[in-house]
Amino acid sequence: MNTDAEQQRIAALPFDKALAEFKATVEKLEAGNLPLEESIALFEQGVLLQRRCEKMLSEAELRFQRLVEQAGGKVRALDLSMGEAEEPG
Amino acid sequence: MRDPIQPTEPTGPMQTDARAASLPVLSVGDLTALVKNTLRSQPRLREVWVEGEVGQVSISAAGHCYFTLKDERAQLKCVIFRDDRMVMPFEARTGLRLLAQGSIDVFDAQGVYQLYVRSIQPSGFGDLALQFEALKAKLAAEGLFDPARKRKLPPMPHNIGVVTSLSGAVLHDIRRVLARRWPMARVVVSACQVQGQGAAATIVAALRRVGRWTDEESGCATDVVILARGGGSLEDLWPFNDESVVRAVAAHPCPVVVAVGHETDVTLAEFAADVRAATPSVAAELVVPARVDELARVNQLGVRLNGALNQTLVSLRQQLATETRALEARHPQAQITADRERVGVLLDRAARVVARRLEVERSNLSRAADSLPALVAGGIAIARGDMRRESAALNALSPFATLERGYSIVRGPDGAVLTDARKAKQGDQLSVRLQRGEIGARVETVRDSGS
């Protein structure tokens, strides 16, 4: 169950999805009536999800960008240095 | 008033002339008092309304505001005392046309007459107020301010749009709050002018720009937009009453939080907003959850996860004990051993999983506990206690405990656990694991128990 692919999938989940999946996993395990093998797989999955959530909460850094319109009307986000924002005008 | 006629020695031509005209000589103070009384006796000057353009403005250390009002022909000195100034809706600023109300009096010490201002209004304000009410009524009739059309803010936004000026404190305030509360978000700033000529058009364009943007990786648009400016006078806020801005806010594809930062006047853009915030910082707080709260929630779920596995193991152990008794009564020894081995392997795995988790969690948690408030740290301590109890429960279930009770694990020549007599051939080398040590054995006979 916890193959490398599964670990990679969890490591790439956005916070809200990871949290929702973590909650569902806990609830499924709490409901019980599962074979031991499956219970342990769920448990391992829950541990991975919990670690994903905690990692994001403690390590994330805000991305702060400025939108610019390019020729052709496409809107792109470029990094915004606060020096640029501090200048009056 | 003192008798101004005092006989003195003539010392110059002025006095000679004054005496010749038999006019009294006044002191500066007396003359100023005379002017002052003359002005004060004019009811017309006690309550005046005057309109003009503000020239030079200066604020004294005590907080009084001195300025001139002028038109093409004349200038008038004006003063607003600190206490009156503090309650006025806006400040007199050079170039502003305004209507001032007050009384004319003389300031003896400087020999000037001036207007003591009690209230001011922007010139033409009456027209603006009428326009405002008319537009408000029209848009309300269209349902733009209807509470039913207000959208809920997303609980955990990925992409947050911010429409404001790049200059000033607003952007810094918003960035600071979001970085502290919800650093997982991506913020895209769409710059606009928030005051002055043409500001409304730039606000509409900035809202459109942020509405057209999508995340390059996920293809998602913004989940919520903050439209903000930081305070200012009533006339500075006027772009937020512009019909095009109000319509752009109402029609935006995602929820919009408007923060204009003016206490007394609510702009039409705020009426049309999905949520109105008092200041830009408050707007930033409203659009994201607090990371500390979420961390506590994750930890709580972790405690439940551990508890749920523990519960599963406890009930499986009870089930196993029941089945073992039933099987022992029927005596198919080989079958029991096979079951035992299978369960033992699983429990062994569970014990390893939990041990590994304990290891990881311990380092994780001690790291997290350093940076967490006491409340969350308390939750972690509980989680630790739970995990200790679970590992004790698992030890009781481990396969070694099973061997202690006299069961053994038999492996075939290939090292695989033997669970079926039919898989063994006469002469096969077997290894038998006991609670203590191992025995090498050879198969003599094979009997299919037929169960």
Side-chain angles (χ1 to χ4, degrees):
Chain A
M1 177 99 180
N2 286 304
T3 57
D4 283 355
E6 174 68 357
Q7 289 194 13
Q8 275 172 21
R9 184 188 72 83
I10 288 174
L13 282 179
F15 180 81
D16 56 344
K17 296 238 164 57
L19 182 67
E21 220 176 280
F22 183 28
K23 189 158 175 281
T25 304
V26 169
E27 280 165 1
K28 199 168 166 193
L29 194 60
E30 278 176 339
N33 294 324
L34 295 168
L36 184 58
E37 183 102 41
E38 205 174 311
S39 296
I40 289 167
L42 274 177
F43 181 80
E44 286 176 324
Q45 169 126 345
V47 171
L48 288 177
L49 288 163
Q50 180 174 6
R51 273 161 52 189
R52 170 68 181 157
C53 290
E54 284 171 347
K55 188 175 153 67
M56 271 192 282
L57 284 169
S58 55
E59 292 176 11
E61 277 194 50
L62 191 73
R63 279 175 87 186
F64 206 80
Q65 296 175 303
R66 178 185 179 175
L67 295 184
V68 290
E69 264 168 86
Q70 295 181 313
K74 194 164 162 47
V75 179
R76 272 193 58 201
L78 301 178
D79 284 341
L80 173 69
S81 71
M82 268 339 251
E84 182 186 353
E86 262 155 12
E87 270 177 50
Chain B
M1 209 183 279
R2 282 174 294 144
D3 180 4
I5 306 171
Q6 295 287 337
T8 50
E9 283 298 307
T11 56
M14 283 300 286
Q15 278 178 359
T16 311
D17 292 348
R19 205 161 296 175
S22 73
L23 286 172
V25 173
L26 304 179
S27 69
V28 173
D30 290 338
L31 179 61
T32 304
L34 185 58
V35 172
K36 187 171 180 138
N37 287 335
T38 308
L39 289 182
R40 282 186 167 181
S41 67
Q42 293 290 314
R44 182 72 188 80
L45 297 180
R46 257 180 250 149
E47 169 76 21
V48 296
W49 283 92
V50 58
E51 187 176 4
E53 188 187 318
V54 177
Q56 284 255 308
V57 179
S58 71
I59 309 282
S60 74
H64 310 315
C65 172
Y66 299 93
F67 64 100
T68 55
L69 265 187
K70 58 184 185 183
D71 61 15
E72 306 78 50
R73 288 183 298 150
Q75 290 202 8
L76 171 68
K77 283 183 180 296
C78 302
V79 57
I80 305 174
F81 289 126
R82 185 181 173 279
D83 290 351
D84 293 324
R85 195 180 132 233
M86 290 302 146
V87 298
M88 284 179 183
F90 68 101
E91 294 271 17
R93 283 208 326 258
T94 303
L96 201 63
R97 280 193 71 78
L98 57 76
L99 201 55
Q101 178 249 328
S103 56
I104 293 291
D105 207 339
V106 169
F107 180 30
D108 312 51
Q110 287 187 2
V112 296
Y113 78 94
Q114 51 190 9
L115 180 69
Y116 289 82
V117 180
R118 284 189 292 271
S119 70
I120 52 175
Q121 284 183 5
S123 210
F125 176 75
D127 293 346
L128 281 183
L130 281 177
Q131 277 174 31
F132 176 87
E133 290 303 331
L135 182 56
K136 186 177 166 186
K138 174 179 143 189
L139 297 177
E142 285 183 32
L144 246 64
F145 310 144
D146 196 343
R149 62 175 299 289
K150 299 209 182 291
R151 296 163 287 194
K152 275 183 121 162
L153 301 184
M156 286 180 197
H158 296 284
N159 299 321
I160 300 170
V162 176
V163 175
T164 192
S165 162
L166 287 184
S167 63
V170 171
L171 205 52
H172 287 269
D173 290 349
I174 291 175
R175 180 183 198 155
R176 191 171 37 79
V177 172
L178 293 178
R180 169 170 54 81
R181 279 177 70 95
W182 203 245
M184 283 160 286
R186 178 177 184 185
V187 180
V188 289
V189 180
S190 188
C192 69
Q193 213 180 303
V194 291
Q195 67 186 62
Q197 205 82 75
T202 69
I203 295 171
V204 171
L207 277 169
R208 289 221 177 97
R209 192 182 309 128
V210 79
R212 289 208 334 259
W213 175 81
T214 53
D215 193 311
E216 312 78 35
E217 297 134 37
S218 67
C220 292
T222 55
D223 304 295
V224 64
V225 166
I226 297 171
L227 168 59
R229 63 153 296 143
S233 70
L234 187 55
E235 68 158 21
D236 285 342
L237 304 181
W238 219 253
F240 289 78
N241 287 322
D242 189 281
E243 182 168 352
S244 66
V245 170
V246 182
R247 288 193 186 281
V249 167
H252 199 75
C254 71
V256 180
V257 179
V258 177
V260 166
H262 197 269
E263 285 159 31
T264 47
D265 297 282
V266 182
T267 60
L268 296 181
E270 289 166 274
F271 282 120
D274 294 285
V275 172
R276 180 191 172 213
T279 66
S281 302
V282 171
E285 301 226 350
L286 285 175
V287 299
V288 291
R291 110 166 102 162
V292 169
D293 294 347
E294 293 307 315
L295 205 45
R297 219 167 108 185
V298 167
N299 276 303
Q300 198 51 45
L301 279 171
V303 169
R304 281 171 59 189
L305 181 73
N306 296 342
L309 182 70
N310 190 24
Q311 194 49 52
T312 307
L313 296 181
V314 165
S315 70
L316 279 172
R317 182 170 52 170
Q318 283 164 355
Q319 222 173 298
L320 180 63
T322 315
E323 281 171 11
T324 305
R325 272 195 298 280
L327 283 167
E328 274 170 354
R330 285 172 53 204
H331 236 295
Q333 190 71 33
Q335 187 62 41
I336 296 171
T337 310
D339 281 354
R340 280 289 187 171
E341 172 65 5
R342 190 168 55 79
V343 171
V345 165
L346 280 175
L347 290 176
D348 195 28
R349 185 172 153 213
R352 268 186 284 112
V353 165
V354 173
R356 199 166 57 223
R357 174 174 170 81
L358 278 168
E359 197 95 339
V360 172
E361 291 289 285
R362 233 172 250 138
S363 62
N364 269 358
L365 291 177
S366 53
R367 229 186 322 111
D370 291 340
S371 58
L372 276 180
L375 176 76
V376 183
I380 291 168
I382 294 169
R384 277 188 189 139
D386 282 4
M387 281 189 281
R388 265 197 291 278
R389 276 195 297 283
E390 274 156 32
S391 57
L394 279 165
N395 277 338
L397 284 167
S398 90
F400 303 105
T402 311
L403 296 178
E404 226 166 279
R405 279 180 287 171
Y407 297 109
S408 23
I409 300 169
V410 180
R411 295 177 194 273
D414 55 354
V417 173
L418 210 53
T419 59
D420 188 339
R422 288 171 298 184
K423 288 202 177 129
K425 291 193 302 289
Q426 196 173 21
D428 273 357
Q429 279 290 338
L430 302 178
S431 97
V432 180
R433 180 158 176 208
L434 308 172
Q435 192 220 336
R436 190 188 159 92
E438 254 179 47
I439 296 170
R442 198 179 12 248
V443 177
E444 294 283 333
T445 55
V446 175
R447 258 195 318 275
D448 185 354
S449 70
S451 63

